[in-house]
Amino acid sequence: MSATPPLPAGFIPFNRSALQGSELKYILETITVGQIAGNQAFSLKCQTLLEQTFGVKRALVVTSCTHALEMAALLLDIQPGDEVIVPSFTFVSTANAFVLRGAKPVFCDIRSDTLNLDETKLGALITPRTRAIVPVHYAGVACEMDAINAIAQPRSIAVIEDNAHGLFGKYKGRWLGTLGALATQSFHETKNITCGEGGALLINDLRYTERAEIIREKGTNRARFFRGQVDKYSWVDLGSSYVMSDVLAAFLYAQLEVWPAIQAKRRALWNRYHVALAPWASQQGVRRPIVPAHCEPAWHMYYLILPSVEARTTLIAHLKSMGILAVFHYLPLHLSEYASRWGGKPGDCPVTEGVSERLLRLPFYNTMTPGEQDSVIAALESFHFPA
Ligand SMILES: *Cc1c(COP(=O)(O)O)cnc(C)c1O
């Protein structure tokens, strides 16, 4: 793939990555002290911040959310033939990380209000081979975690939160990322807090802490060696190279340490879209996001659900003609080319299929100016769907 071409002046992108201020200073520190590999000062700072903020047992920064999901699959000892329930409306890694261990992904439909895994459909999907359920807090709004845990716990099914959208969101006053055995975070460029490419594994179940460090360090007990707990390190388990470089951790820490400001900015942008677009949306039959009262969003994205796929196509073109890039989102995983081997067919997840065709994400990024947001709102208000 080639690099993204630069945007013309005045163009409003869907996402724009932004520095928070201390990134270069911290990166220079890693270089000056000569600690640029992993597990150094900035990685530890990021991990401590995550552990203290959320009260998780352990946080490990890793190379991506995809890799954190792969670590979760290794930690659960997922074996060929095991089944893992994932929403069909998600990023490919939610499923692929488990498929890499030989699991069969079982695709669950989503709720039509929050677009999250529909907990009322779980019962019918569980079999004696079900090993894990992987809820995704879509757009940063919590899944119905009490109901999901009530189904999983008595059956010893692990709950792994794919919390790529949900960092700093809450469910019934509890932080997302603390509601299952493990949770995975993404610091990809498109996420609220970023270092370009990166992730974290949050561990809530002490059973997994030591082995997670080993898996992250190529299957060796190198972490114990550095703590002086063993006098040489060796190959003790399966593993891979999931350690984040401290150069990236330095970038990440510059963002994480100002998370309240980032979240406040995104919350304000989200609320402004939501209030300003209410009259136009109701006239045009456009649905805005629904946030249940017991959920505090992580303000990851602002989306609209349009009346039809044709309406979406014409609206995307209209916005583009005004220099605004709005984009759709996930295609149903159960209908993907790769998933055809498990026999997915149209109609299996009807809510996912309908939403996937009609959902549109608006430009939304930490440095979005009021003027840019005004332009997006005005461009939408100037648009009327053909009758
Ligand atoms: C972004 C994302 C991922 C993958 O994150 P990476 O850090 O790019 O691997 C996984 N799941 C969801 C729901 C995502 O949005």
Side-chain angles (χ1 to χ4, degrees), residues 248-270:
L248 282 179
F251 192 113
L252 180 61
Y253 190 68
Q255 303 233 329
L256 270 179
E257 69 175 351
V258 295
W259 74 264
I262 293 175
Q263 292 301 96
K265 177 77 207 284
R266 296 182 77 96
R267 179 195 176 118
L269 287 170
W270 196 101

Side-chain angles (χ1 to χ4, degrees), residues 63-69 89-94 135-138 162-165 184-191 196-200 300-301 329-330:
T63 31
S64 65
C65 182
T66 301
H67 282 166
L69 287 160
F89 193 60
T90 184
F91 190 63
V92 60
S93 297
T94 316
V136 176
H137 306 300
Y138 187 74
D162 178 341
N163 197 30
H165 300 186
T184 64
Q185 304 300 152
S186 176
F187 303 117
H188 183 261
E189 170 177 42
T190 51
K191 303 306 198 287
E197 303 273 0
H300 175 55
M301 75 172 84
H329 210 188
Y330 305 128

